[in-house]
Amino acid sequence: MAPGNFTWVTEFILTGVSDRADLQIPLFLVFLVIYGLTVAGNLGIITLTSVDSQLQTPMYFFLRHLAIINLGDSTVIAPKMLINCLVKKKTTSYYECATQLGGFLVFIVAEVSMLAVMAYDRYVAICNPLLYMVVVSRRVCLLLVSLTYFYSFSTAIVTSSSVFSMSYCSSNVINHFYCDTVPLLALSCSDTYFPETVIFISAATNLACSMIIVLVSYFNIVLSILRIRSSEGRKKAFSTCASHMMAVTVFYGTLLFMYLQPRTSHSLDTDKMASVFYTLVIPMLNPMIYSLRNKDVKAALKRFLTNSCCSSNSM
């Protein structure tokens, strides 16, 4: 393309979940409720696992960081999405778009890694209970979480840099409700082979490694539970990992649905619906999954509310 035949893009226009004007207010209200529940639920988990003395175990340490990741993931996406539901011109600057993509990649990669770490934690707790506090010590917990964040930041920097190293010219309409890799590369007017390769290798590596750790961990967990003779013992062992199993199933189920669709039926509209689920709905569901199915969290919530009421009454 000869110079002068195009103009460089300085801002992008997001089409949103739907371009129908009559759906903007209903969508705003629905997503506002979802985001409100996400913030309340994840802040609740973070607070309880920080202040309650009986939740100072590796499992709840990892759960706290999963809540931080879920809160960050939805906060990177939801505020801008809500604003765009109320304005006619859904624009985002070039650098704002790059920042949003980077932030999204940080939290989505961190979530994939954290779910694998939590699966390993449950494997050690059930298959090697006598060595649990030695194998998953405070130092190991800090190391695993630090590596998770370091890896997610590194992946986000490499991937977002490769996407925004491309030239964007003329067309600036992103067929999505946030800045994502696939719709951005569709707008590029330069060769996209390198960023596509980086994205493919990164996504394949992250998903494959995480899923292998999860599947191997739960394969051994199931074998270990089946060896327990008493039904009460099996039930107790299963209950300690039931919440994580449900969270993993929902998260990976959504990602596999998105990436394993046949090319003939694959569309950006389908990607949007899947993206709504894993950027907004799953971060809202996770606190509910871990709270409603976890006696320790429910007991901690009761203690927290009781102490808060007693403190307010004594003032």
Side-chain angles (χ1 to χ4, degrees):
M1 186 178 291
N5 288 353
F6 59 85
T7 55
W8 294 106
V9 169
T10 57
E11 66 177 17
F12 295 99
I13 298 171
L14 297 163
T15 60
V17 176
S18 173
D19 55 5
R20 287 179 53 182
D22 59 318
L23 290 179
Q24 299 308 304
I25 297 300
L27 285 172
F28 171 82
L29 295 173
V30 169
F31 293 132
L32 181 63
V33 170
I34 291 174
Y35 183 57
L37 291 173
T38 300
V39 172
N42 285 290
L43 283 179
I45 293 289
I46 293 166
T47 303
L48 287 177
T49 54
S50 299
V51 303
D52 194 278
S53 59
Q54 295 186 34
L55 298 184
Q56 303 307 307
T57 63
M59 181 175 76
Y60 294 109
F61 176 77
F62 295 134
L63 178 57
R64 183 190 315 155
H65 284 278
L66 180 64
I68 292 169
I69 291 165
N70 283 159
L71 182 60
D73 194 9
S74 60
T75 300
V76 166
I77 305 297
K80 184 67 177 179
M81 183 185 185
L82 290 170
I83 291 169
N84 284 344
C85 286
L86 300 177
V87 297
K88 287 186 177 180
K89 194 176 182 184
K90 301 171 173 56
T91 58
T92 181
S93 72
Y94 182 89
Y95 294 105
E96 186 181 6
C97 189
T99 302
Q100 186 181 52
L101 176 62
F104 164 72
L105 290 172
V106 166
F107 291 114
I108 200 70
V109 173
E111 184 166 4
V112 170
S113 302
M114 189 57 65
L115 288 172
V117 168
M118 293 174 77
Y120 171 73
D121 169 73
R122 291 299 82 209
Y123 158 73
V124 177
I126 293 172
C127 299
N128 298 288
L130 297 178
L131 297 175
Y132 179 59
M133 295 309 296
V134 176
V135 176
V136 193
S137 63
R138 178 73 176 173
R139 185 177 178 180
V140 171
C141 289
L142 290 171
L143 178 63
L144 289 172
V145 168
S146 299
L147 287 173
T148 294
Y149 288 127
F150 176 76
Y151 176 70
S152 62
F153 272 103
S154 302
T155 303
I157 289 170
V158 172
T159 305
S160 58
S161 297
S162 65
V163 171
F164 279 91
S165 66
M166 300 294 98
S167 300
Y168 294 93
C169 41
S170 301
S171 178
N172 67 339
V173 179
I174 299 174
N175 187 16
H176 217 315
F177 59 89
Y178 69 95
C179 294
D180 198 7
T181 53
V182 174
L184 274 168
L185 291 180
L187 298 180
S188 178
C189 55
S190 55
D191 184 17
T192 60
Y193 176 77
F194 176 72
E196 284 177 348
T197 304
V198 169
I199 291 165
F200 175 79
I201 292 172
S202 175
T205 303
N206 294 336
L207 278 175
C209 291
S210 178
M211 288 190 70
I212 288 169
I213 292 171
V214 170
L215 290 173
V216 170
S217 296
Y218 275 105
F219 177 76
N220 285 287
I221 286 170
V222 170
L223 289 181
S224 184
I225 290 174
L226 291 175
R227 292 193 196 105
I228 299 173
R229 294 184 178 181
S230 68
S231 58
E232 186 64 30
R234 286 196 296 270
K235 184 179 178 182
K236 185 177 180 181
F238 179 76
S239 67
T240 64
C241 58
S243 297
H244 182 256
M245 285 180 67
M246 189 179 297
V248 164
T249 301
V250 172
F251 183 77
Y252 285 113
T254 304
L255 288 182
L256 291 175
F257 167 78
M258 182 173 175
Y259 288 111
L260 297 183
Q261 294 177 81
R263 283 285 179 182
T264 52
S265 62
H266 190 88
S267 69
L268 283 175
D269 288 334
T270 308
D271 284 355
K272 284 185 190 180
M273 292 303 103
S275 297
V276 166
F277 206 77
Y278 67 72
T279 59
L280 298 173
V281 177
I282 289 177
M284 176 193 69
L285 290 178
N286 278 346
M288 297 179 186
I289 290 171
Y290 283 101
S291 299
L292 297 176
R293 295 190 57 85
N294 192 303
K295 292 179 181 178
D296 292 338
V297 173
K298 288 191 282 188
L301 179 59
K302 288 179 182 178
R303 287 193 295 271
F304 180 77
L305 293 175
T306 302
N307 293 336
S308 297
C309 291
C310 291
S311 300
S312 60
N313 289 335
S314 62
M315 291 178 66

